[in-house]
Amino acid sequence: MGILTLFASALLAVAGPAGIAHAEGVTTCTTTSQEQLEVAIGTGTGVRGPKQIPYTCTGGDITNTSIQVGMTASAETVQAGGTFEVTLSIPQLTLKTAVTAATQVQVDGKLTLSTGATVSNPGNKPGGTAQAQSTTVPAAEVKYTVSVAAGTTGKVTVKAGELKLTTGAGGGGTGGENEVWYNCTGVPTGTNNVRLKVTLTMPTNAKTGQESTIGWSATNDVTGYELEAPTTLPTNPKYFAELTLSGGGLTTATAEGNVTVTQGQPITFQAPTTPAKVKPTTAGTVTVKPGSLKIGASSSSPTVNCTLDTTQTNLKSYTFTVTGGSTASNTPVPTKTTTVIVTKTPVGGNGDNNGNGKVNKTPKGGAETGGGGEAGPDGRMFVLTGTALVAAAALGGLVLRRRTARG
């Protein structure tokens, strides 16, 4: 038991508590404030601010349940057809758990504008960065550009709307939302800039040589930047959402599904009929990012073709880990068998198949076992000679004995 406790303590010291390696979540903040900025068009007096907007926050990895956000306009007046900036001042925030790597908070502030004004750069903006081993996110400012249409008169009013604070956006994570900016062709005029809220879900038990699935879903995110359906779409069109991958021997994966189309309205994406599937070939970390999006009868000849907007600097990446899969094979491995036959010639017997007692080959490194007639006298000759000598000696002994007896 003591060994197990020591091992667990050592593992915790290396890996740290679960969930703090990289914070990941979206904190949503709402306000009921009626405070507003006023920017006069042409001439006049405006209200630049700053205005302090109270927000109530829930969810995500930020502990702050209420915050005050400053809102300021860059000018009191603007010309019709011109632009001005609105700055949101985000206060210092606190994370629920310390991060082991520097983590930047992304800020997505919605603004409610009067007729004739639009935000030209909506979506996430880089906020404060929590340093490694810290829960503190420093205060930061984010800026949105408001464009005023030509011919607009009076004043532009600006009210604060929903505020989203995303931890980990633009870095690695195992899943969650990601606002993706697209440039699209084949769409109605003036709707080529598209903002989609894309959600990816990473596999949790990926292994080499085994198929895993990456979850994909998308919805239109920002008013005025929806993906609208053109009249040229075929009946029952499909979407083809590409993902770009690095690591694990992977490069791309594609999710395929159906879209619901109403002319002049934003396209609705249904759940994939064919999920994005991957089959890693090597172990390690795989990084995943949203890629191109195509809509039409096929991916090779789409009606709508959307590519990533290269000006987006906060596109979020996702990661998952691949471990080694089984490498055992069910194919039998043949066993090589070598048979050696050794023939021993009996002593005094036939040494070859000819019955002549010869040895056809001398064993390597050994003595000859017999030579036959070709090798000269063999052992039988010596045996006969020895027998003759013994017999002669015996005969000689008898003759000497007789002579002694006579004398």
Side-chain angles (χ1 to χ4, degrees):
M1 186 66 179
I3 294 176
L4 291 176
T5 302
L6 180 61
F7 175 76
S9 300
L11 182 63
L12 188 61
V14 174
I20 73 165
H22 188 92
E24 182 66 47
V26 179
T27 299
T28 301
C29 303
T30 58
T31 182
T32 57
S33 174
Q34 296 302 308
E35 293 280 3
Q36 66 180 34
L37 306 176
E38 296 180 358
V39 177
I41 300 175
T43 59
T45 301
V47 179
R48 292 183 55 191
K51 296 288 186 178
Q52 293 300 317
I53 313 298
Y55 279 94
T56 300
C57 303
T58 58
D61 295 306
I62 294 175
T63 63
N64 307 74
T65 57
S66 61
I67 58 175
Q68 294 279 332
V69 175
M71 183 174 65
T72 309
S74 61
E76 288 189 12
T77 61
V78 64
Q79 298 298 317
T83 62
F84 65 93
E85 286 187 334
V86 173
T87 299
L88 298 181
S89 299
I90 310 301
Q92 179 176 295
L93 304 170
T94 303
L95 299 175
K96 293 178 181 178
T97 54
V99 290
T100 58
T103 301
Q104 187 176 61
V105 171
Q106 298 291 316
V107 180
D108 184 2
K110 301 296 191 296
L111 301 177
T112 301
L113 307 174
S114 56
T115 302
T118 58
V119 176
S120 59
N121 62 335
N124 284 324
K125 301 289 181 291
T129 298
Q131 299 303 313
Q133 311 303 328
S134 174
T135 60
T136 301
V137 181
E141 292 185 344
V142 297
K143 299 180 183 295
Y144 291 93
T145 301
V146 177
S147 298
V148 181
T152 305
T153 59
K155 292 182 178 181
V156 174
T157 59
V158 182
K159 289 185 179 181
E162 183 183 71
L163 183 68
K164 289 186 177 180
L165 306 172
T166 304
T167 52
T174 58
E177 296 178 354
N178 195 1
E179 184 178 84
V180 184
W181 302 1
Y182 289 103
N183 292 320
C184 301
T185 59
V187 295
T189 303
T191 64
N192 60 302
N193 292 327
V194 172
R195 306 286 188 263
L196 294 182
K197 183 186 295 181
V198 176
T199 300
L200 300 181
T201 305
M202 299 295 102
T204 58
N205 192 28
K207 297 181 181 298
T208 57
Q210 298 182 15
E211 191 173 79
S212 296
T213 299
I214 299 175
W216 183 94
S217 65
T219 58
N220 287 281
D221 189 28
V222 181
T223 301
Y225 291 85
E226 299 94 341
L227 180 55
E228 292 189 10
T231 57
T232 53
L233 279 176
T235 304
N236 301 320
K238 296 180 178 294
Y239 66 80
F240 305 89
E242 185 177 275
L243 306 176
T244 59
L245 302 94
S246 61
L250 304 170
T251 55
T252 60
T254 302
E256 177 183 334
N258 300 316
V259 294
T260 302
V261 175
T262 301
Q263 298 301 329
Q265 298 296 320
I267 290 174
T268 299
F269 298 89
Q270 299 180 19
T273 55
T274 304
K277 296 180 179 180
V278 294
K279 193 173 184 179
T281 58
T282 59
T285 299
V286 177
T287 301
V288 184
K289 286 187 177 183
S292 63
L293 177 66
K294 301 175 182 179
I295 300 174
S298 68
S299 60
S300 59
S301 58
T303 303
V304 176
N305 191 1
C306 299
T307 57
L308 294 178
D309 188 334
T310 57
T311 65
Q312 184 177 15
T313 59
N314 62 335
L315 182 63
K316 177 180 175 181
S317 61
Y318 303 83
T319 59
F320 67 91
T321 301
V322 179
T323 58
S326 174
T327 57
S329 173
N330 294 324
T331 304
V333 178
T335 301
K336 182 178 179 180
T337 302
T338 302
T339 303
V340 178
I341 300 176
V342 178
T343 303
K344 181 177 180 181
T345 302
V347 177
N350 295 330
D352 60 14
N353 295 330
N354 299 320
N356 56 20
K358 295 180 180 179
V359 175
N360 294 327
K361 181 180 287 187
T362 301
K364 184 177 181 181
E368 293 181 348
T369 58
E374 296 179 356
D378 60 15
R380 288 171 293 181
M381 181 176 180
F382 294 103
V383 171
L384 290 175
T385 302
T387 302
L389 290 174
V390 171
L395 181 59
L398 289 175
V399 172
L400 291 175
R401 184 177 179 182
R402 282 183 181 179
R403 287 179 178 176
T404 303
R406 287 179 180 176

